Every structure is written in structure tokens, then in C-alpha cells.
Amino acid sequence: MKMIVNKLLTIGRVSIAYLLIVSICNISGAFAQRRGGHMSRPGSSGSTSRTPNNNRANRPNTGGINRPNNTANNNGNRINNNNSGNRNNGNRTNINSGNTNVNINVNNSRNTVVRQNNYRPYTRPPYVYGGRSFYSYHPYYYHPYRPFYWGPAYHPWGFFIAALATTAIIVTVANQQYHYDQGVYYTQSNGGYTVVQAPVGAVVTTLPSSAQTVVVTGSTTNNYYYGGTFYEKSSKGYTVVPPTAGSIVTSLPEGGKETKVGDVTYVKVGETYYQPIQQDGKDVYEVVKVDEVKQ
């Protein structure tokens, strides 16, 4: 009986040992298989065998410094943007509201035709040069052209301002609106107002106090002159008219240009020629009548 018990104990020990060995082997194999599978996974973030496509240094469209399509020198670059601060249409870059020499193309042709003085024939022969005859009542006397300044309310043609004074009124000529203020005419332009030559036919009720009376010799009508513009008084007020040939003014506005015609230097304002002369010992200008020489 004792021998049987000893055999059973021996068999039990062997079975337990066998089970322990099998369990250990299974655990070791599973652990080894798990580790081996981990190292061979191609897309694992912690693996040293990660494929090149997951390497940030080689990704062409990532947020790194090698992005070819998102650099600061492409379409979003304000430095190369042709519209950054430079308005080319109307070109505000070259307009300085404090500079009376701004370069603006203004059509002044509506006030450049000289009216002939039908009341006073010319007694002096014209100066003929270049196929044209230049008529004047007084002899030529050169003196340098010096633009005249009519005061703080006056601005020359081409001058730009951002806003008008509250005293400005609207004047309509040939279905076009102008703004008039203290002897100066404006048209609305991009971002403000530009001074233009007074349009012939415009009627205003008042003139600046410094307007000059111009006597038209032989006529009962007197003209008025201010800032390069001639007016005639009527029942409605003062109407802008072309200059009358032979009219004499003491000053010319800014924007004129000394123009050499043969041996005579005229001052051309718009398309009107003014001849430098002397009257009563003073330097003044006479409006010249210009005709084409008839062949």
C-alpha cells in the first residue's frame, strides 16, 4: 500500500513539472513571437525600420522649409504685388496735394479759342513765322514769365484736393458738372477733385474781389479776369468767355509755357498765345490773334 502511494506522488510531481515546462515554453514562444512581429511592422511609429515615406525630412509637401508651393515669394507676396500701395490708373502716387506742379492730363481745349475784336482793326502788320500770322496791337517787349499767385483759395490747373470747401457750388455746362469755389473750377476725380480750366459758358453769380477789369478797346463790353479766366457780365451773373484778341492782363497763371516762335518768345497758356509787352512802364501781356497764312 505504501508503495502504491509513493508511485502516485511520483506521477503527480512529474505531471506538475511537465505542465510547468509546457507553460513556460508557451509563454516564451508567445513573447518571442510578439517581439518579432513588433520589429517587422513597416508602418510603426516607434520602429527603426520605418519606411522613407514617413520620414519628415523627405516629405516634399510638409510644413518644413523645403515647401516649394508655400514660400513667401509666390502670389501672396505683397512685395511683388503690383497693386500694393501703387494706384496706376489715375496714378495717385504722383499727385501731391501740396505740390502745384502735379502732372495730370486735363482737357483745357474748351477755353482756348481767341475771340476777334471786331471793334478795333489791327494797324500793325502781323509777325509771320512757320505758316502762321501773329497779330498784336502793341510792340513786342520781352520780360520773363513769372506765374502769379492769387491767394490761398486759388489753385492752378491740375491741382488735386481730397475735399471741397462748403462754399463750393455745382455749375453745369453741356451736361457736364463742375464744382466752382472762389474763382476755381474742379471736376471730380478718383478720390477727390482736380482743378481744370474754366469751361466756356459756365455762369457764376460772384467773382473773387481781386478779379481784374479788362477794357475791350472800341467795345462797350468789359471783360473780367481772374486766375487765367475771362468773364463777361450779364443779367444772370458772370459768364466764362474765350479771351478777346488784344486784351491786356497784368499776370498769367501757373501752367503757362514760354514758346519760341522765330525771334519772339510768347507765353502759351492752354492754346492761347500771350505776347509780353510794356504798358505805362509795366510788364504786361496781350492776347494774340493767330491765323493760318493763306496760300
Side-chain angles (χ1 to χ4, degrees):
M1 187 67 173
K2 185 177 181 179
M3 291 178 62
I4 293 171
V5 172
N6 289 333
K7 286 181 179 180
L8 290 173
L9 291 173
T10 300
I11 292 171
R13 292 189 186 98
V14 172
S15 298
I16 292 172
Y18 176 77
L19 292 173
L20 290 173
I21 291 171
V22 171
S23 298
I24 291 172
C25 289
N26 290 335
I27 293 172
S28 299
F31 182 76
Q33 184 179 4
R34 185 177 179 184
R35 288 198 59 188
H38 177 77
M39 294 189 65
S40 62
R41 289 194 318 190
S44 174
S45 60
S47 173
T48 58
S49 300
R50 287 185 297 179
T51 60
N53 289 337
N54 290 326
N55 188 343
R56 290 183 64 85
N58 294 322
R59 290 166 62 185
N61 292 323
T62 63
I65 61 174
N66 293 323
R67 288 185 298 172
N69 295 325
N70 293 318
T71 59
N73 290 324
N74 288 327
N75 293 334
N77 187 354
R78 293 182 63 86
I79 296 176
N80 294 327
N81 188 343
N82 290 331
N83 293 325
S84 63
N86 187 8
R87 299 169 60 181
N88 293 323
N89 296 331
N91 199 359
R92 289 288 301 279
T93 305
N94 293 329
I95 298 176
N96 182 349
S97 60
N99 183 1
T100 58
N101 291 318
V102 292
N103 185 18
I104 299 176
N105 293 325
V106 179
N107 183 5
N108 292 323
S109 61
R110 297 189 59 181
N111 196 18
T112 57
V113 178
V114 174
R115 298 189 300 176
Q116 183 173 340
N117 188 342
N118 295 321
Y119 304 95
R120 184 184 181 188
Y122 285 99
T123 58
R124 303 177 65 254
Y127 179 73
V128 180
Y129 186 88
R132 292 182 294 177
S133 298
F134 297 81
Y135 290 89
S136 64
Y137 294 103
H138 298 80
Y140 168 70
Y141 184 90
Y142 175 75
H143 50 82
Y145 160 60
R146 295 184 178 90
F148 186 77
Y149 177 66
W150 273 273
Y154 169 77
H155 302 300
W157 303 335
F159 190 88
F160 175 84
I161 60 175
L164 294 175
T166 57
T167 53
I169 62 173
I170 294 177
V171 177
T172 302
V173 180
N175 296 322
Q176 183 173 350
Q177 284 190 346
Y178 299 84
H179 298 266
Y180 171 83
D181 184 41
Q182 302 182 68
V184 183
Y185 294 81
Y186 304 84
T187 56
Q188 192 165 5
S189 57
N190 191 15
Y193 301 87
T194 301
V195 178
V196 296
Q197 187 172 0
V200 171
V203 180
V204 296
T205 57
T206 59
L207 294 178
S209 58
S210 57
Q212 171 188 350
T213 301
V214 179
V215 177
V216 180
T217 304
S219 172
T220 58
T221 301
N222 290 334
N223 287 343
Y224 298 86
Y225 177 80
Y226 177 85
T229 302
F230 290 84
Y231 297 86
E232 262 185 19
K233 187 171 176 53
S234 66
S235 59
K236 296 180 180 180
Y238 298 88
T239 303
V240 177
V241 295
T244 302
S247 297
I248 296 175
V249 295
T250 58
S251 53
L252 294 179
E254 186 172 341
K257 181 180 180 182
E258 286 194 336
T259 302
K260 189 80 172 178
V261 179
D263 295 328
V264 178
T265 300
Y266 297 100
V267 178
K268 193 176 181 182
V269 181
E271 294 300 322
T272 301
Y273 287 84
Y274 292 83
Q275 176 175 284
I277 64 171
Q278 264 201 347
Q279 188 179 58
D280 300 329
K282 297 180 180 179
D283 293 339
V284 292
Y285 298 91
E286 178 184 338
V287 176
V288 177
K289 180 177 179 291
V290 183
D291 288 338
E292 297 292 331
V293 175
K294 297 180 180 180
Q295 300 296 334

